[in-house]
Amino acid sequence: MSRLSARIKFLIRALGVNGYIIRLVIARSVLMRAVKLRLPVSELLAIVDGAIEQNNRFYRRTNYSDWQSLYAPTDFFGRGFPPSVGVTVVVCPRRSSLSHLYKSLRSIERERSPAIDVVVLSTGPWSDFLLGMAAYAAGGAKSVIIRRPTDLEGLLRERVALIQGAPVLRPGALGALNASMDKDPSTRAVYADEDRTIGKRVDFPQFKPDFSPVLGQQYDYVGNVILFTREFFLSNVLPDVRINAIPSWIGDRSLPQGAVVHLPQVLHSEQTRRRLTHISGAEFDQELAMTIQNEAQRPSVAIIIPTRDREELLRSCIQGIDECTDYDASRISIIIVDNGTVEPAAVHLLSQLEARHNFSVVKRPGEFNYSWLCNQGAAAAAADILVFMNNDIVLRDRNWLGKLVSAVSLPSVGVVGCKLLYPSGKIQHAGVILGIHGLAGHIGVGANEFDGGYLNLAKHTRELSAVTGALVAVRRSVFQAAGGYDERLAIAFSDIALCLTCNGLGFQTLCLQSALAFHLESASRGDDTLDPLKHIRLLEECLQVLSTHGSLKIDPFYNPNLSLIGPYELADPPRLVARTNLPNRAPRVLMLSWTFQVGHGVAVVVDIQARALESMGCVVFIGAPVKANEIPWPKNRRLDVSDENTAAKLAAELNFDVVMVHTPPFFSVFKVLPMNISGIAYDYGEPPPSLFPDTVERRLVDAEKFMSMAYADRVLAISEVVRTANALPTCEILPLGNTHLAQWNAESVERRMKSRLSRNWPGQLVILNVCRFTEAERAYKGVDFYINLRRALDLLHPDIGAMTRFVLAGRALREDVDAVSAGGIDVIANPSDEGLADLYHAADLYLSASRWEGYNLGIAQALAMGLPVCASDIPAHRAFGVPVFTSLNEALSEVVQAFRDPSRREGIQARQPILRDWKPPAERLRDLIDELVLDKQAENRRAADGR
């Protein structure tokens, strides 16, 4: 019933939006009837299903109108972008209605300035009188109207804005395009994103990829509003103006990098459906393959297949090569890289294959390392083209090798992949998007084979940043120049790394949209994300890729307005947010922590840092799940935030300059935070997972944390201990201090006496330990050791034990209090700040037996009180310069010595605080925020110049 309700709501909403979805739904019902009649319409039905699903995704997630009002204010592009040189706007009305033409011309007239001329090139049915009236009614002077493209040459200024059909320009659109061209003298053309106007509603955004000439040979994705230099327009564009086909310049692979610039901002709306002349990727692949139809021209190919055991997979794979390959067999060699096969059937198969004339088996036993195995196979190959194939590939296209080889033989191409299907016929891979979930994700997973997906892109062979390595081709010379596969990536992401390296060398990565094979994804090894240990390794290898290649948040072939969570859905927020440059505004900082409750050390640090930054001119908001007993903070700057996506959305909507993360799970925000908002990760460290029963789960959290930190602009650590454990080499220490804590002073003696009297402690040796002592934390916090120390004192020194109180204070539940009290400990659970200060005054010795700390706030407070301290021998404790112990006997000796030291009473007045000033780290943090704000303002100005 809920599914039916959702569909009804969707249809009601669709009715209110436009008739396009309704037409799709009606078309689908007609096609379903045709299917029942066994008519050949399955491909068309898949296309319609894909279009319905794609539009459903946009409405299911975020309403585009709401999204625009948040992230694309209509007046933003009109600010500060006056055309710097003369522009001639050439309007080609095509088949637009006069009402649409009027709206289009009116939007152009809003841009009119002395630097802008308008020329109407009419090759359509309208008379000059009607065109002139439309232009006049739009508010402009009499426009120049010409009938022949050749008449344009004498009318053109330094730059030419070609406007075809009847798009409506956003305010400031021409200025934004012109400013982008100003950035780089090598730029020849600039295009932008668009959406559609349906009635009075603006919808269906077309968020385009960056310049993709291979895609452009099949599909006019660039649109109807483009700015050119005069020379480029005359030589490369004008000859195609009157031809209703894909302009040849869009598919010109010889254009140098940077010649065509894409602005990922919606600068115009289409009033009519633009017909995109195109051929499908499958047709393009077939035509490309025909360029090497002559067998004498075909390069030699080595097919490299790593394998171990799993005879049935390898047999099926080889059978596919034998039976489904239309390529000169004499030019193919097959190299099987055996990683230690032991199963008898698989050993027998390998011996059979090795006996064949074009096969060789390279034996490489040892721990599985996919990159190393592929490199070993490549080293044994002498062919021009290397094809790497998983042993769980089943071929289905007889021309699969010809298509791969013809594409990879293009001089500009480095790596070529292809569409792969699950055995069910659904798409497993149609290319890779960078940045999805922090690193990369497949395009089209689970869609129908013929589903074009967003903007029909999945039907076209095109440039992408990466492809899966399950079936790829690469020229041997390019593979060698790239250094082969990165052997530090033993299991995953080596294919991504190879593509990125080749891209960096100036070669393109292509994904053919012919479905060449079935891929039994991970059939030979299992799905790594379902196994926590394998998932940890995936995250660690992801961090390795990020450390080598930098942030992958911006993929040139995946628009930054599209989501890194759900592929081809609206990004909320987008990775580039329109921001007004306010250099004199106080920096706005959002601090994120899993708690802001009293009694948590992290919350104390967040509070201290926030107050220090406020005193130095920042505006600080606290973001955390709202809970009871929180540290006071102004309500209008306290945000209830429980996940990283909400945090990123608030950061964009509330115009923050810096987001500072203190604890998981918020480190993941850096993966989706807009690029023009700075991110600071503050690492408190984490206890070794081996100290807990949920070791694997904690290792997974740590791996996610470090991978996410790689996307932060700055990574800070609270101590040398934490910096040493941090996986990122750029980590900087921002130490904690204790000058903000309660200190021993002239009134402390009286306060100590009152506190001890109220608790009936006169004459007692009071040992204090402050920490959380929930069941999961007692072992690593040393509470069990503390209890054993109490028992050892009673057993070995009963006279001293009778005069000694072991006190434990901290956050805990009732059952925790009962468990620890049973060990002879005086438990004070969840004390207030004042109550805790009283305990430090009343104590004679502070003792911490913690097995790990990044920074021990309890010791810092004890030193501020001038209180004697002894602690377990761990690096964080040694950094304080206090006496340390390594065994129960040594700790017991410290307690006995403290009891026998007469100065514990008589020397109270002489106690001296040992302080570490908090102010310098706070000032460093403030300076760091200023540096980041200035850097981002400069980036925003550069981005604004490019809009």
Side-chain angles (χ1 to χ4, degrees):
M1 187 67 187
S2 60
R3 187 183 226 177
L4 178 60
S5 175
R7 288 185 176 181
I8 291 172
K9 288 180 180 178
F10 169 60
L11 284 173
I12 291 173
R13 193 170 189 182
L15 281 167
V17 174
N18 61 66
Y20 174 62
I21 297 177
I22 299 304
R23 288 196 296 272
L24 287 173
V25 173
I26 294 171
R28 187 183 189 283
S29 64
V30 172
L31 290 170
M32 288 298 293
R33 291 179 180 272
V35 168
K36 291 179 180 180
L37 296 174
R38 298 183 179 181
L39 297 177
V41 295
S42 57
E43 180 175 349
L44 185 57
L45 180 61
I47 293 171
V48 171
D49 280 341
I52 292 173
E53 173 60 18
Q54 187 58 54
N55 288 289
N56 186 13
R57 283 182 185 175
F58 269 88
Y59 291 109
R60 185 172 66 232
R61 291 282 182 171
T62 303
N63 182 272
Y64 178 57
S65 298
D66 297 339
W67 185 91
Q68 278 192 107
S69 64
L70 283 173
Y71 304 124
T74 55
D75 62 340
F76 180 78
F77 299 108
R79 299 174 184 171
F81 299 129
S84 57
V85 295
V87 177
T88 300
V89 179
V90 177
V91 181
C92 299
R94 301 289 188 205
R95 297 180 178 178
S96 307
S97 68
L98 281 175
S99 63
H100 285 164
L101 179 61
Y102 161 73
K103 293 176 183 177
S104 178
L105 290 172
R106 188 175 181 182
S107 71
I108 296 168
E109 288 297 334
R110 285 199 303 262
E111 305 285 292
R112 175 89 78 161
S113 75
I116 297 177
D117 296 332
V118 178
V119 176
V120 178
L121 172 59
S122 175
T123 57
W126 299 282
S127 67
D128 290 357
F129 172 76
L130 288 176
L131 291 173
M133 286 299 294
Y136 180 80
K142 182 176 175 61
S143 298
V144 176
I145 300 173
I146 60 174
R147 291 288 183 177
R148 295 178 303 178
T150 52
D151 295 338
L152 275 173
E153 186 169 355
L155 302 173
L156 301 181
R157 302 180 75 168
E158 294 96 323
R159 292 175 183 170
V160 180
L162 178 62
I163 298 181
Q164 302 178 90
V168 175
L169 302 185
R170 298 288 172 86
L174 293 180
L177 293 169
N178 207 35
S180 177
M181 189 168 281
D182 284 342
K183 286 179 62 178
D184 188 343
S186 66
T187 301
R188 298 292 176 264
V190 184
Y191 67 97
D193 296 335
E194 63 188 72
D195 53 25
R196 287 183 60 196
T197 302
I198 302 157
K200 294 183 178 181
R201 186 186 180 97
V202 178
D203 224 317
F204 294 104
Q206 294 193 15
F207 293 129
K208 307 166 186 175
D210 283 0
F211 183 57
S212 307
V214 170
L215 174 63
Q217 291 178 315
Q218 311 154 63
Y219 173 25
D220 181 6
Y221 65 93
V222 171
N224 285 335
V225 178
I226 314 115
L227 181 70
F228 302 98
T229 61
R230 183 179 190 275
E231 294 76 12
F232 188 83
F233 178 80
L234 289 173
S235 60
N236 295 71
V237 182
L238 188 58
D240 293 335
V241 164
R242 70 165 61 193
I243 301 172
N244 189 22
I246 300 176
S248 59
W249 70 271
I250 296 177
D252 188 352
R253 294 198 301 269
S254 67
L255 287 174
Q257 187 174 8
V260 181
V261 171
H262 164 229
L263 296 185
Q265 301 290 341
V266 176
L267 294 188
H268 60 99
S269 295
E270 291 291 334
Q271 301 180 85
T272 57
R273 185 182 179 189
R274 182 161 57 92
R275 293 188 176 276
L276 306 174
T277 304
H278 63 271
I279 61 173
S280 71
E283 293 171 309
F284 177 83
D285 297 343
Q286 187 64 37
E287 291 181 5
L288 191 62
M290 293 178 66
T291 61
I292 57 167
Q293 197 70 17
N294 187 333
E295 293 187 359
Q297 297 175 341
R298 291 185 170 185
S300 58
V301 179
I303 302 173
I304 299 167
I305 308 173
T307 191
R308 179 164 64 193
D309 297 326
R310 301 303 301 272
E311 179 267 348
E312 71 283 2
L313 288 179
L314 182 60
R315 183 178 296 278
S316 178
C317 180
I318 298 301
Q319 184 177 352
I321 295 173
D322 288 341
E323 298 177 0
C324 196
T325 303
D326 284 343
Y327 200 88
D328 184 2
S330 66
R331 305 193 67 77
I332 300 175
S333 60
I334 301 174
I335 300 172
I336 311 295
V337 186
D338 176 26
N339 189 215
T341 291
V342 294
E343 291 179 358
V347 171
H348 179 65
L349 175 60
L350 287 174
S351 65
Q352 287 181 320
L353 294 175
E354 197 169 17
R356 293 175 55 174
H357 75 280
N358 61 336
F359 277 75
S360 60
V361 177
V362 178
K363 297 186 181 298
R364 294 294 184 269
E367 187 176 354
F368 180 79
N369 183 317
Y370 180 81
S371 298
W372 175 67
L373 294 173
C374 287
N375 288 342
Q376 292 295 300
D384 303 316
I385 307 295
L386 304 178
V387 173
F388 296 94
M389 179 184 291
N390 281 15
N391 64 353
D392 55 358
I393 287 291
V394 178
L395 297 167
R396 59 165 284 187
D397 185 327
R398 297 195 62 82
N399 200 18
W400 70 274
L401 190 53
K403 290 178 179 179
L404 284 175
V405 169
S406 60
V408 83
S409 297
L410 297 172
S412 61
V413 173
V415 181
V416 177
C418 60
K419 181 180 286 184
L420 298 173
L421 304 178
Y422 289 114
S424 66
K426 300 288 186 179
I427 294 174
Q428 183 263 339
H429 166 269
V432 167
I433 298 170
L434 297 183
I436 295 287
H437 305 303
L439 186 71
H442 285 191
I443 297 172
V445 176
N448 294 315
E449 177 184 350
F450 302 109
D451 183 0
Y454 185 71
L455 301 187
N456 224 22
L457 290 173
K459 292 194 68 176
H460 299 288
T461 291
R462 58 186 174 120
E463 299 87 343
L464 291 170
S465 291
V467 291
T468 183
L471 179 58
V472 295
V474 56
R475 295 201 303 279
R476 186 158 63 97
S477 59
V478 174
F479 186 79
Q480 292 172 340
Y485 282 106
D486 187 343
E487 294 181 9
R488 295 171 298 177
L489 304 170
I491 309 296
F493 305 128
S494 57
D495 46 8
I496 306 298
L498 177 65
C499 292
L500 292 176
T501 301
C502 292
N503 297 347
L505 294 173
F507 296 101
Q508 298 170 332
T509 296
L510 292 186
C511 185
L512 306 182
Q513 289 308 317
S514 301
L516 301 185
F518 296 105
H519 182 203
L520 315 179
E521 183 181 29
S522 301
S524 56
R525 298 186 56 258
D527 186 348
D528 287 352
T529 61
L530 300 179
D531 182 323
L533 289 174
K534 291 180 179 179
H535 195 185
I536 291 167
R537 188 198 59 247
L538 282 177
L539 292 171
E540 291 172 347
E541 293 191 346
C542 175
L543 178 58
Q544 181 65 56
V545 175
L546 294 173
S547 299
T548 303
H549 296 279
S551 171
L552 305 179
K553 197 181 288 187
I554 296 295
D555 183 335
F557 304 108
Y558 184 69
N559 196 292
N561 293 307
L562 296 171
S563 173
L564 293 180
I565 301 170
Y568 291 104
E569 295 175 2
L570 277 172
D572 190 11
R575 290 178 292 294
L576 294 175
V577 178
R579 292 170 62 88
T580 304
N581 192 23
L582 298 173
N584 298 319
R585 189 192 69 176
R588 292 166 62 84
V589 181
L590 172 61
M591 287 192 166
L592 296 171
S593 168
W594 72 274
T595 183
F596 198 53
Q597 289 177 292
V598 173
H600 288 273
V602 170
V604 171
V605 176
V606 172
D607 181 54
I608 295 299
Q609 286 184 340
R611 293 182 188 280
L613 291 176
E614 288 258 325
S615 70
M616 291 184 278
C618 293
V619 178
V620 182
F621 287 67
I622 304 296
V626 172
K627 300 175 183 177
N629 195 30
E630 289 195 336
I631 297 172
W633 194 257
K635 287 186 178 181
N636 63 336
R637 286 188 281 116
R638 174 65 176 89
L639 303 176
D640 185 7
V641 185
S642 58
D643 64 273
E644 66 274 17
N645 297 319
T646 301
K649 184 175 173 63
L650 287 171
E653 290 179 9
L654 300 180
N655 207 23
F656 284 107
D657 298 292
V658 176
V659 173
M660 185 173 182
V661 178
H662 290 258
T663 66
F666 292 112
F667 291 108
S668 298
V669 74
F670 298 128
K671 295 187 293 186
V672 292
L673 193 67
M675 298 289 289
N676 35 19
I677 299 175
S678 298
I680 299 176
Y682 197 33
D683 190 3
Y684 292 72
E686 303 295 338
S690 59
L691 297 178
F692 300 89
D694 56 343
T695 299
V696 174
E697 290 79 2
R698 288 176 177 266
R699 285 182 58 194
L700 189 57
V701 171
D702 286 353
E704 169 66 25
K705 167 184 165 180
F706 288 128
M707 190 270 281
S708 299
M709 278 184 175
Y711 281 97
D713 293 280
R714 295 288 190 279
V715 179
L716 308 175
I718 63 171
S719 66
E720 179 63 39
V721 173
V722 175
R723 181 175 69 173
T724 300
N726 191 287
L728 300 168
T730 57
C731 184
E732 171 189 344
I733 296 178
L734 188 77
L736 301 180
N738 65 348
T739 51
H740 63 289
L741 300 172
Q743 301 174 24
W744 188 267
N745 55 41
E747 291 78 31
S748 292
V749 174
E750 183 178 354
R751 185 171 182 178
R752 170 183 166 84
M753 292 174 62
K754 288 182 178 179
S755 179
R756 289 174 69 89
L757 282 171
S758 68
R759 292 174 169 83
N760 197 26
W761 288 348
Q764 301 277 310
L765 174 69
V766 178
I767 301 172
L768 176 64
N769 185 13
V770 178
C771 66
R772 297 189 306 274
F773 53 95
T774 60
E775 183 179 6
E777 295 171 305
R778 287 201 286 271
Y780 108 80
K781 283 293 187 181
V783 175
D784 295 341
F785 183 98
Y786 198 58
I787 293 172
N788 288 336
L789 182 60
R790 159 88 266 182
R791 290 170 177 167
L793 183 66
D794 290 341
L795 179 64
L796 300 176
H797 303 278
D799 54 333
I800 297 176
M803 298 290 291
T804 302
R805 311 300 293 260
F806 281 75
V807 180
L808 179 62
R811 289 192 61 82
L813 301 174
R814 180 72 256 174
E815 53 267 31
D816 303 315
V817 174
D818 294 340
V820 176
S821 297
I825 306 297
D826 292 339
V827 177
I828 301 174
N830 308 314
S832 66
D833 289 344
E834 282 299 302
L836 199 57
D838 281 343
L839 291 174
Y840 278 101
H841 278 87
D844 298 298
L845 175 69
Y846 189 90
L847 188 148
S848 173
S850 180
R851 298 169 66 184
W852 182 90
E853 295 288 340
Y855 180 87
N856 195 315
L857 195 60
I859 291 179
Q861 174 63 89
L863 294 175
M865 293 296 298
L867 185 62
V869 174
C870 66
S872 52
D873 188 11
I874 60 175
H877 291 167
R878 290 196 297 270
F880 283 103
V882 300
V884 295
F885 51 79
T886 59
S887 66
L888 190 65
N889 284 336
E890 289 180 7
L892 187 62
S893 177
E894 292 285 348
V895 172
V896 171
Q897 182 180 348
F899 182 83
R900 292 172 177 169
D901 182 0
S903 68
R904 68 187 178 88
R905 293 191 185 88
E906 290 81 357
I908 291 170
Q909 292 86 346
R911 282 188 183 177
Q912 293 295 324
I914 299 175
L915 301 175
R916 296 186 179 186
D917 193 0
W918 175 264
K919 189 175 180 181
E923 290 175 342
R924 169 59 186 146
L925 180 59
R926 180 65 174 89
D927 292 342
L928 180 60
I929 288 171
D930 283 341
E931 292 171 16
L932 290 173
V933 169
L934 289 174
D935 287 347
K936 291 299 181 182
Q937 285 177 351
E939 289 179 16
N940 292 343
R941 283 193 294 271
R942 289 192 293 271
D945 290 343
R947 289 192 182 101

